[in-house]
Amino acid sequence: MSVALVAGFMTLLDVSIVNVALPAIRSDLHLTAGELQWVLSGYALTFGLLLVPAGRIGDARGRGPMFVTGVALFTLASAGAGLARSATWLVVARLIQGAAAGLVNPQVSGLIQQLFEPRERGRPFGLLGATIGVSTAVGPLLGGVLIAAFGPSDGWRWIFYINVPIGILAIILALRWIPKAETKERDSLDPFGVVLLGVGVLVLLLPLVQEREWHGPAKWLLIPLSLAILAGFVLWERRHGRHSTPVIELGLFQVRSYALGALIGMLYFAGFPALFFVYTLYLQNGHRFSALAAGLAVTPFAVGAAVASALGGRVVARFGRPLVMAGLITVAAGLAATVLVLAAAPGDNGPWLAAAPLLIAGLGSGLVISPNQTLTLSEVPVRRAGSAGAVLQIGQRIGTAVGIAAAGTVFFAQLASSGNDWGRALRSSLLVAIGFVLVALAAAVTDVIASRRDANHQREPEPAGQA
């Protein structure tokens, strides 16, 4: 678990750590706005594309070998990114990094399902939830520390170099500690289904990650095209699943805990990562904060998430989905309080005064991510743990892309219409993030009500005279 979580932390950290380094990267390599967008979004794009195929292969051929392969590729790509001498070099390295992260992450959740009995999974999933939440939130701080320590020109390179020794150590320990004796299937891996799913996800994510670079409304035509391709994938999987193992067991979505849990995860990840995207822009460009100061300003969220994730994993079996509800309410309240504080204190002191509500939001986040992951995968068979976890994560990646596109659009539109009023732009985009959290809360409430109704039906006595 230590090896798996460290590798997972490393790959998820690279989603957000680059945010504070973008000004330094742009200055050093003379990147255009479009190239800079690909450095940031290309990682998320290839990450999302590889999740489900990698989860399926890990289920069928062994999670240990897939894990080691992914970490090795990620380590090499990180070294390549740190050595980049041109925009194209850096973009290609980031795309390979993202693909490698997509190989690693499904194996982590799959290993938890494989190595722990259902009643024991709360704690390891709590640690995984803490890893997911903290890695995203602490990225700006760690990036700021490295840039402050090594200077802008070399600091952004160390953001990538730091992965190399960690990756090498993870490979050595994984070969030693991750169990090798696994039941391996030798049936078809359904390559046509993998291609259909990959193309559908690619076409769905492209207009979202390129929202600011592709001008005009034509790009949004790719959304219905992606839905048509994904509908074709569903039809193919139903047909293929009659006589062989599909990429995704569609029957999982008939299980309410899995279907609603995946929806909650997607909606929540549309909300909270968008916070760091727009907040970092607000701090560095609006208030001229250094990379380190910007990272420190969002650290309270990371601290709250770390503390609450460990607790949430331990108590989720006792409280169930109501715990996730409580977390979502806390996140929405914390973000709303952040908006109010920043409106009341628009100067440079505002971000520091917002530390308390961000801490509250982080505490709520810790009660959402790990408990939701535990509950969502609780009824999934171990033999499908990797692919089921991958579907959950691909929903999170899609949610992140949607949330950043939506919050970013509102942010820059408000900035343009208000004459560079950074505070107003931030507050408007945070309301978008809160909206996604509230829709996730509605899904959680639906699950709780349905579960209680089912429990009441089971307790109702049978009519007299019937056996």
Side-chain angles (χ1 to χ4, degrees):
M1 280 306 302
S2 300
V3 178
L5 291 176
V6 166
F9 183 89
M10 180 174 65
T11 58
L12 292 165
L13 184 72
D14 270 54
V15 175
S16 63
I17 194 173
V18 177
N19 282 337
V20 295
L22 291 178
I25 294 172
R26 185 171 192 172
S27 175
D28 198 29
L29 296 183
H30 309 290
L31 270 64
T32 66
E35 291 165 341
L36 208 62
Q37 178 73 11
W38 271 102
V39 170
L40 186 64
S41 302
Y43 182 89
L45 183 65
T46 51
F47 192 155
L49 284 177
L50 268 289
L51 281 168
V52 172
R56 175 70 186 93
I57 295 171
D59 288 343
R61 302 291 190 258
R63 297 180 182 107
M66 283 296 293
F67 179 86
V68 171
T69 301
V71 173
L73 185 61
F74 187 87
T75 304
L76 290 171
S78 296
L83 294 169
R85 293 292 179 267
S86 68
T88 302
W89 183 339
L90 181 58
V91 168
V92 171
R94 285 287 284 171
L95 292 173
I96 297 172
Q97 257 196 322
L103 295 179
V104 170
N105 277 273
Q107 318 315 324
V108 178
S109 59
L111 283 167
I112 292 176
Q113 297 282 89
Q114 173 188 328
L115 299 176
F116 294 88
E117 295 295 330
R119 65 181 182 278
E120 301 171 333
R121 290 174 191 159
R123 186 177 181 187
F125 271 127
L127 294 172
L128 177 58
T131 299
I132 295 170
V134 174
S135 61
T136 303
V138 84
L141 173 62
L142 182 56
V145 169
L146 291 171
I147 290 172
F150 295 98
S153 296
D154 292 326
W156 73 262
R157 296 182 184 276
W158 276 98
I159 282 175
F160 301 113
Y161 288 149
I162 197 173
N163 293 328
V164 176
I166 298 172
I168 292 172
L169 182 61
I171 292 169
I172 294 170
L173 295 180
L175 291 172
R176 181 175 179 179
W177 287 343
I178 291 182
K180 298 178 178 62
E182 300 181 24
T183 302
K184 300 178 183 178
E185 301 172 7
R186 290 299 174 191
D187 56 346
S188 170
L189 292 175
D190 188 12
F192 184 68
V194 168
V195 171
L196 270 180
L197 179 62
V199 172
V201 172
L202 175 64
V203 175
L204 177 64
L205 289 177
L206 267 178
L208 298 172
V209 300
Q210 288 293 96
E211 191 274 330
R212 291 183 59 211
E213 298 305 315
W214 291 355
H215 303 291
K219 60 178 176 286
W220 300 117
L221 294 176
L222 291 175
I223 301 295
L225 175 61
S226 71
L227 296 178
I229 296 171
L230 292 173
F233 166 76
V234 170
L235 294 175
W236 168 260
E237 288 296 281
R238 285 180 175 172
R239 177 184 174 186
H240 182 77
R242 294 172 188 165
H243 53 80
S244 189
T245 305
V247 177
I248 299 172
E249 276 196 18
L250 299 176
L252 286 174
F253 290 99
Q254 297 176 0
V255 179
R256 189 180 62 242
S257 62
Y258 185 82
L260 284 175
L263 178 62
I264 291 167
M266 182 173 68
L267 290 168
Y268 182 65
F269 272 78
F272 101 95
L275 160 69
F276 302 105
F277 174 65
V278 295
Y279 203 43
T280 302
L281 287 172
Y282 166 76
L283 293 172
Q284 289 192 277
N285 297 335
H287 285 274
R288 302 298 176 187
F289 276 31
S290 66
L292 178 57
L296 285 171
V298 298
T299 300
F301 189 100
V303 172
V307 171
S309 290
L311 173 64
R314 292 172 185 268
V315 302
V316 62
R318 186 189 311 169
F319 296 104
R321 195 73 76 185
L323 183 66
V324 178
M325 281 177 49
L328 290 166
I329 292 170
T330 305
V331 172
L335 293 182
T338 302
V339 171
L340 294 175
V341 168
L342 293 174
D348 288 346
N349 290 329
W352 304 116
L353 295 174
L358 281 177
L359 175 64
I360 293 170
L363 290 170
S365 185
L367 298 180
V368 174
I369 297 175
S370 58
N372 186 64
Q373 184 126 355
T374 303
L375 295 167
T376 303
L377 297 176
S378 61
E379 298 180 62
V380 173
V382 172
R383 63 189 177 86
R384 293 289 169 259
S387 53
V391 172
L392 189 59
Q393 287 202 44
I394 203 171
Q396 295 170 359
R397 302 280 77 80
I398 291 172
T400 299
V402 170
I404 288 177
T409 298
V410 171
F411 184 88
F412 290 109
Q414 286 290 335
L415 200 61
S417 64
S418 63
N420 285 342
D421 186 340
W422 291 89
R424 179 180 172 185
L426 175 68
R427 293 191 297 273
S428 299
S429 57
L430 286 182
L431 291 177
V432 174
I434 293 170
F436 282 117
V437 173
L438 292 177
V439 179
L441 175 61
V445 170
T446 300
D447 189 27
V448 170
I449 292 173
S451 297
R452 289 178 178 174
R453 184 171 58 242
D454 291 347
N456 289 334
H457 285 327
Q458 291 175 3
R459 287 195 298 266
E460 285 179 0
E462 293 183 352
Q466 294 187 13

